[in-house]
Amino acid sequence: MTRTTLLPLLLCLTPLAAQAADASPWGDHTDVSLGLVAGAVSRYMGSAAYRPQLLPLVVVQRGPFFADTSRGLGLQWQSAQGLTLSGALNYDFGRDDRDNASRPGADRLKGMGEVDGATVLDLNLSQALAPWLSLNAEGEWRLAGAQRGNRYRLGVEAIGLHTDQDTLALDLDAHAGDRRFNQTYFGVTAAQSAASGFAPARLDRGIYAYSAALNWLHAFDPHWSSVATLTTTYYGDQARDSPLRQRATATTAQVALTYSF
Protein backbone atom coordinates (compact mmCIF):
# COMPACT_ATOMS: atom_id res chain seq x y z
CA MET A 1 0.00 0.00 0.00
CA THR A 2 2.64 2.45 1.02
CA ARG A 3 6.23 2.02 0.12
CA THR A 4 7.86 1.29 3.45
CA THR A 5 10.90 -0.67 2.33
CA LEU A 6 13.58 -0.60 -0.34
CA LEU A 7 13.52 -4.36 -0.92
CA PRO A 8 12.44 -4.13 -4.59
CA LEU A 9 14.97 -1.38 -5.38
CA LEU A 10 17.91 -3.03 -3.68
CA LEU A 11 17.17 -6.41 -5.24
CA CYS A 12 17.26 -4.83 -8.69
CA LEU A 13 20.55 -2.96 -8.39
CA THR A 14 22.45 -5.75 -10.17
CA PRO A 15 19.97 -6.04 -13.08
CA LEU A 16 20.07 -2.26 -13.57
CA ALA A 17 23.86 -2.28 -13.76
CA ALA A 18 23.70 -5.14 -16.25
CA GLN A 19 21.17 -3.22 -18.33
CA ALA A 20 23.52 -0.25 -18.64
CA ALA A 21 26.27 -2.57 -19.92
CA ASP A 22 24.09 -4.50 -22.40
CA ALA A 23 24.98 -4.04 -26.04
CA SER A 24 21.31 -4.25 -26.99
CA PRO A 25 18.75 -1.83 -25.49
CA TRP A 26 16.42 -4.84 -25.10
CA GLY A 27 18.98 -6.79 -23.08
CA ASP A 28 21.31 -9.66 -23.88
CA HIS A 29 20.36 -11.87 -20.95
CA THR A 30 17.61 -12.41 -18.37
CA ASP A 31 18.23 -11.87 -14.65
CA VAL A 32 16.11 -13.89 -12.22
CA SER A 33 15.96 -13.66 -8.42
CA LEU A 34 13.87 -15.97 -6.22
CA GLY A 35 13.42 -15.71 -2.49
CA LEU A 36 11.32 -15.24 0.60
CA VAL A 37 10.42 -12.13 2.61
CA ALA A 38 9.65 -12.52 6.32
CA GLY A 39 8.79 -9.82 8.81
CA ALA A 40 6.40 -8.13 11.19
CA VAL A 41 4.24 -5.36 9.73
CA SER A 42 1.39 -3.17 10.99
CA ARG A 43 -2.10 -4.64 10.62
CA TYR A 44 -3.06 -1.42 8.81
CA MET A 45 -1.74 2.13 8.52
CA GLY A 46 -1.96 3.66 11.99
CA SER A 47 -2.57 0.36 13.80
CA ALA A 48 -0.89 -0.44 17.11
CA ALA A 49 -1.05 -4.18 16.35
CA TYR A 50 1.22 -6.23 14.11
CA ARG A 51 0.87 -9.30 11.93
CA PRO A 52 3.55 -11.76 10.75
CA GLN A 53 4.47 -11.67 7.09
CA LEU A 54 5.89 -14.43 4.88
CA LEU A 55 5.83 -13.81 1.14
CA PRO A 56 7.49 -15.28 -1.95
CA LEU A 57 9.73 -12.93 -3.89
CA VAL A 58 10.24 -13.25 -7.65
CA VAL A 59 12.11 -10.71 -9.78
CA VAL A 60 12.60 -11.29 -13.52
CA GLN A 61 14.32 -8.65 -15.64
CA ARG A 62 15.63 -8.41 -19.18
CA GLY A 63 16.90 -5.06 -20.37
CA PRO A 64 14.23 -2.48 -19.49
CA PHE A 65 11.47 -5.06 -18.82
CA PHE A 66 10.72 -6.47 -15.38
CA ALA A 67 8.14 -8.65 -13.65
CA ASP A 68 8.28 -8.34 -9.89
CA THR A 69 6.04 -9.65 -7.09
CA SER A 70 6.62 -6.35 -5.25
CA ARG A 71 6.58 -3.79 -8.08
CA GLY A 72 4.38 -5.50 -10.67
CA LEU A 73 4.92 -5.62 -14.43
CA GLY A 74 6.72 -2.73 -16.06
CA LEU A 75 9.62 -0.96 -17.71
CA GLN A 76 12.63 0.89 -16.31
CA TRP A 77 15.43 2.96 -17.80
CA GLN A 78 18.67 4.33 -16.41
CA SER A 79 20.85 7.06 -17.91
CA ALA A 80 24.60 7.53 -17.60
CA GLN A 81 23.85 10.73 -15.64
CA GLY A 82 22.16 8.82 -12.81
CA LEU A 83 18.52 9.35 -13.80
CA THR A 84 16.32 6.28 -13.37
CA LEU A 85 12.70 6.10 -14.57
CA SER A 86 10.26 3.22 -14.14
CA GLY A 87 6.59 2.56 -14.71
CA ALA A 88 4.62 -0.52 -13.67
CA LEU A 89 1.15 -1.97 -13.42
CA ASN A 90 0.58 -3.32 -9.92
CA TYR A 91 -2.21 -4.32 -7.56
CA ASP A 92 -3.11 -2.84 -4.16
CA PHE A 93 -4.90 -5.41 -1.95
CA GLY A 94 -6.84 -2.73 -0.07
CA ARG A 95 -7.85 -3.26 3.56
CA ASP A 96 -10.06 -5.75 5.41
CA ASP A 97 -12.33 -4.96 8.37
CA ARG A 98 -11.09 -8.00 10.29
CA ASP A 99 -7.76 -9.64 11.16
CA ASN A 100 -6.28 -11.00 7.97
CA ALA A 101 -3.00 -12.84 7.57
CA SER A 102 -2.60 -12.07 3.88
CA ARG A 103 -3.51 -8.36 3.64
CA PRO A 104 -3.96 -5.27 5.84
CA GLY A 105 -6.95 -5.33 8.19
CA ALA A 106 -8.01 -5.71 11.83
CA ASP A 107 -11.02 -6.75 13.89
CA ARG A 108 -10.91 -3.24 15.36
CA LEU A 109 -12.20 -1.93 12.00
CA LYS A 110 -15.44 -3.92 12.15
CA GLY A 111 -18.22 -1.78 10.69
CA MET A 112 -15.84 0.27 8.54
CA GLY A 113 -16.33 -2.07 5.58
CA GLU A 114 -13.65 -3.44 3.29
CA VAL A 115 -11.48 -1.30 1.03
CA ASP A 116 -11.57 -3.19 -2.25
CA GLY A 117 -8.36 -4.02 -4.09
CA ALA A 118 -7.35 -1.80 -6.98
CA THR A 119 -5.17 -1.96 -10.08
CA VAL A 120 -2.66 0.89 -10.00
CA LEU A 121 -0.11 2.57 -12.26
CA ASP A 122 3.11 3.18 -10.34
CA LEU A 123 5.60 5.73 -11.75
CA ASN A 124 9.02 6.25 -10.14
CA LEU A 125 11.77 8.78 -10.75
CA SER A 126 15.20 8.79 -9.11
CA GLN A 127 18.05 11.22 -9.72
CA ALA A 128 21.52 10.67 -8.30
CA LEU A 129 22.83 13.92 -6.82
CA ALA A 130 26.12 12.33 -5.74
CA PRO A 131 27.52 8.78 -5.72
CA TRP A 132 26.02 8.35 -2.24
CA LEU A 133 22.87 10.49 -2.47
CA SER A 134 19.72 10.36 -4.63
CA LEU A 135 16.37 12.16 -4.79
CA ASN A 136 13.33 9.89 -5.31
CA ALA A 137 9.72 10.58 -6.29
CA GLU A 138 6.80 8.20 -6.79
CA GLY A 139 3.20 8.53 -7.89
CA GLU A 140 0.67 5.71 -7.72
CA TRP A 141 -2.59 6.28 -9.61
CA ARG A 142 -5.60 3.99 -9.42
CA LEU A 143 -6.77 2.50 -12.72
CA ALA A 144 -9.63 0.53 -11.13
CA GLY A 145 -11.16 0.57 -7.67
CA ALA A 146 -13.28 3.64 -7.00
CA GLN A 147 -12.51 3.83 -3.26
CA ARG A 148 -8.78 3.81 -3.44
CA GLY A 149 -7.59 7.22 -4.64
CA ASN A 150 -3.98 8.14 -5.47
CA ARG A 151 -0.87 8.37 -3.32
CA TYR A 152 2.51 10.10 -3.73
CA ARG A 153 5.96 9.92 -2.17
CA LEU A 154 8.99 12.21 -2.15
CA GLY A 155 12.24 11.34 -0.43
CA VAL A 156 16.02 11.04 -0.38
CA GLU A 157 18.26 7.99 -0.13
CA ALA A 158 21.75 8.20 1.37
CA ILE A 159 24.24 5.33 1.07
CA GLY A 160 26.44 5.22 4.16
CA LEU A 161 28.42 2.10 3.23
CA HIS A 162 29.05 0.35 -0.08
CA THR A 163 31.48 -2.54 -0.54
CA ASP A 164 31.58 -5.65 -2.73
CA GLN A 165 29.54 -7.49 -0.09
CA ASP A 166 27.54 -4.88 1.81
CA THR A 167 25.40 -1.83 1.12
CA LEU A 168 23.89 0.21 3.96
CA ALA A 169 21.34 2.86 2.98
CA LEU A 170 19.00 5.27 4.76
CA ASP A 171 15.76 6.29 3.08
CA LEU A 172 13.75 9.33 4.28
CA ASP A 173 10.29 9.85 2.75
CA ALA A 174 7.17 12.00 2.97
CA HIS A 175 3.93 10.21 1.98
CA ALA A 176 0.88 12.06 0.67
CA GLY A 177 -2.53 11.18 -0.71
CA ASP A 178 -5.30 12.90 -2.60
CA ARG A 179 -8.58 13.55 -0.78
CA ARG A 180 -10.04 10.17 -1.74
CA PHE A 181 -7.00 8.19 -0.60
CA ASN A 182 -6.72 9.96 2.75
CA GLN A 183 -10.46 9.70 3.39
CA THR A 184 -10.49 6.00 2.50
CA TYR A 185 -7.62 4.97 4.78
CA PHE A 186 -7.88 7.50 7.61
CA GLY A 187 -11.37 9.06 7.43
CA VAL A 188 -14.75 7.92 8.76
CA THR A 189 -18.00 8.70 6.95
CA ALA A 190 -21.33 9.18 8.76
CA ALA A 191 -22.44 5.69 7.69
CA GLN A 192 -19.16 4.14 8.87
CA SER A 193 -19.44 6.01 12.16
CA ALA A 194 -22.92 4.61 12.81
CA ALA A 195 -21.79 1.05 12.01
CA SER A 196 -18.40 1.08 13.75
CA GLY A 197 -18.68 3.53 16.64
CA PHE A 198 -15.72 5.62 15.44
CA ALA A 199 -16.22 9.39 15.47
CA PRO A 200 -16.84 10.89 12.01
CA ALA A 201 -13.72 12.32 10.33
CA ARG A 202 -13.42 14.09 7.00
CA LEU A 203 -9.90 14.36 5.59
CA ASP A 204 -8.38 16.52 2.88
CA ARG A 205 -5.50 15.89 0.48
CA GLY A 206 -1.96 16.24 1.78
CA ILE A 207 0.81 14.49 3.68
CA TYR A 208 -0.32 11.69 5.98
CA ALA A 209 3.01 10.15 7.07
CA TYR A 210 6.79 10.47 7.23
CA SER A 211 9.09 7.45 7.26
CA ALA A 212 12.73 6.51 7.79
CA ALA A 213 14.01 3.14 6.57
CA LEU A 214 17.42 1.60 7.23
CA ASN A 215 18.32 -1.02 4.63
CA TRP A 216 21.21 -3.50 4.70
CA LEU A 217 22.01 -5.52 1.57
CA HIS A 218 24.54 -8.33 2.05
CA ALA A 219 25.91 -10.57 -0.73
CA PHE A 220 27.08 -13.97 0.50
CA ASP A 221 28.38 -14.96 -2.94
CA PRO A 222 27.49 -14.18 -6.59
CA HIS A 223 24.12 -15.94 -6.18
CA TRP A 224 22.93 -15.67 -2.56
CA SER A 225 22.08 -12.35 -0.89
CA SER A 226 19.94 -10.94 1.90
CA VAL A 227 18.20 -7.65 2.57
CA ALA A 228 17.19 -6.49 6.06
CA THR A 229 14.96 -3.43 6.47
CA LEU A 230 13.91 -1.56 9.59
CA THR A 231 11.26 1.14 8.99
CA THR A 232 9.79 3.72 11.36
CA THR A 233 6.69 5.60 10.20
CA TYR A 234 5.13 8.65 11.85
CA TYR A 235 1.47 9.30 11.03
CA GLY A 236 0.89 13.04 11.29
CA ASP A 237 -0.58 15.97 9.37
CA GLN A 238 -3.75 14.64 7.68
CA ALA A 239 -3.69 11.42 9.76
CA ARG A 240 -3.04 13.17 13.07
CA ASP A 241 -6.69 13.42 14.18
CA SER A 242 -7.90 10.20 12.53
CA PRO A 243 -9.88 8.01 14.98
CA LEU A 244 -8.37 4.99 13.19
CA ARG A 245 -4.85 5.98 14.26
CA GLN A 246 -4.01 4.06 17.43
CA ARG A 247 -0.35 4.98 17.53
CA ALA A 248 1.48 7.96 16.03
CA THR A 249 4.67 5.97 15.34
CA ALA A 250 5.03 2.39 14.10
CA THR A 251 8.22 0.39 13.49
CA THR A 252 8.28 -2.63 11.19
CA ALA A 253 11.00 -5.10 10.20
CA GLN A 254 11.52 -7.28 7.13
CA VAL A 255 14.23 -9.72 6.04
CA ALA A 256 14.58 -11.23 2.56
CA LEU A 257 16.80 -14.06 1.38
CA THR A 258 17.27 -14.39 -2.39
CA TYR A 259 19.01 -16.56 -4.95
CA SER A 260 19.90 -14.93 -8.28
CA PHE A 261 20.85 -16.60 -11.54
Side-chain angles (χ1 to χ4, degrees), residues 52 65 83 145 191-192:
F65 303 101
L83 175 66
Q192 288 173 326

Side-chain angles (χ1 to χ4, degrees), residues 104-156:
D107 290 342
R108 180 175 182 264
L109 300 178
K110 184 178 180 180
M112 288 292 296
E114 291 188 36
V115 178
D116 294 334
T119 304
V120 296
L121 173 64
D122 193 0
L123 300 180
N124 281 270
L125 180 150
S126 177
Q127 176 62 59
L129 306 178
W132 57 273
L133 183 67
S134 63
L135 178 66
N136 306 307
E138 177 187 21
E140 193 176 78
W141 289 270
R142 68 176 182 89
L143 300 180
Q147 292 175 287
R148 203 262 183 185
N150 308 316
R151 70 169 184 89
Y152 314 97
R153 177 186 57 85
L154 181 64
V156 294

Side-chain angles (χ1 to χ4, degrees), residues 1-256:
M1 187 181 307
T2 57
R3 183 178 179 272
T4 56
T5 78
L6 289 186
L7 290 174
L9 177 61
L10 290 173
L11 287 168
C12 290
L13 287 177
T14 300
L16 275 173
Q19 173 190 334
D22 280 341
S24 167
W26 309 113
D28 296 328
H29 63 281
T30 300
D31 296 284
V32 180
S33 294
L34 304 176
L36 284 174
V37 181
V41 297
S42 298
R43 285 208 167 273
Y44 65 90
M45 290 189 292
S47 173
Y50 292 85
R51 63 182 174 92
Q53 183 185 63
L54 184 63
L55 298 171
L57 185 65
V58 179
V59 180
V60 180
Q61 184 163 328
R62 182 181 179 89
F65 303 101
F66 66 84
D68 188 325
T69 51
S70 296
R71 296 182 301 164
L73 180 65
L75 296 166
Q76 62 186 9
W77 172 82
Q78 186 179 55
S79 75
Q81 291 72 39
L83 175 66
T84 301
L85 302 173
S86 71
L89 291 176
N90 208 344
Y91 188 78
D92 181 350
F93 287 92
R95 186 185 69 194
D96 210 337
D97 60 355
R98 59 184 177 85
D99 288 353
N100 194 316
S102 59
R103 68 171 180 146
D107 290 342
R108 180 175 182 264
L109 300 178
K110 184 178 180 180
M112 288 292 296
E114 291 188 36
V115 178
D116 294 334
T119 304
V120 296
L121 173 64
D122 193 0
L123 300 180
N124 281 270
L125 180 150
S126 177
Q127 176 62 59
L129 306 178
W132 57 273
L133 183 67
S134 63
L135 178 66
N136 306 307
E138 177 187 21
E140 193 176 78
W141 289 270
R142 68 176 182 89
L143 300 180
Q147 292 175 287
R148 203 262 183 185
N150 308 316
R151 70 169 184 89
Y152 314 97
R153 177 186 57 85
L154 181 64
V156 294
E157 181 192 24
I159 298 176
L161 172 69
H162 183 62
T163 67
D164 290 341
Q165 286 188 308
D166 296 284
T167 298
L168 192 65
L170 177 65
D171 192 48
L172 302 175
D173 291 305
H175 305 266
D178 63 11
R179 183 179 289 106
R180 180 175 293 176
F181 183 93
N182 288 346
Q183 180 65 33
T184 295
Y185 286 105
F186 298 101
V188 181
T189 65
Q192 288 173 326
S193 176
S196 67
F198 289 115
R202 293 188 62 83
L203 275 74
D204 202 349
R205 63 181 179 273
I207 293 174
Y208 62 84
Y210 303 90
S211 67
L214 184 63
N215 306 274
W216 175 30
L217 170 65
H218 177 73
F220 298 99
D221 58 37
H223 299 287
W224 288 100
S225 63
S226 66
V227 182
T229 300
L230 185 67
T231 304
T232 296
T233 303
Y234 171 72
Y235 294 98
D237 292 16
Q238 286 297 317
R240 186 187 310 277
D241 298 322
S242 169
L244 305 185
R245 190 188 79 159
Q246 289 181 288
R247 179 181 294 171
T249 302
T251 299
T252 61
Q254 291 177 303
V255 177

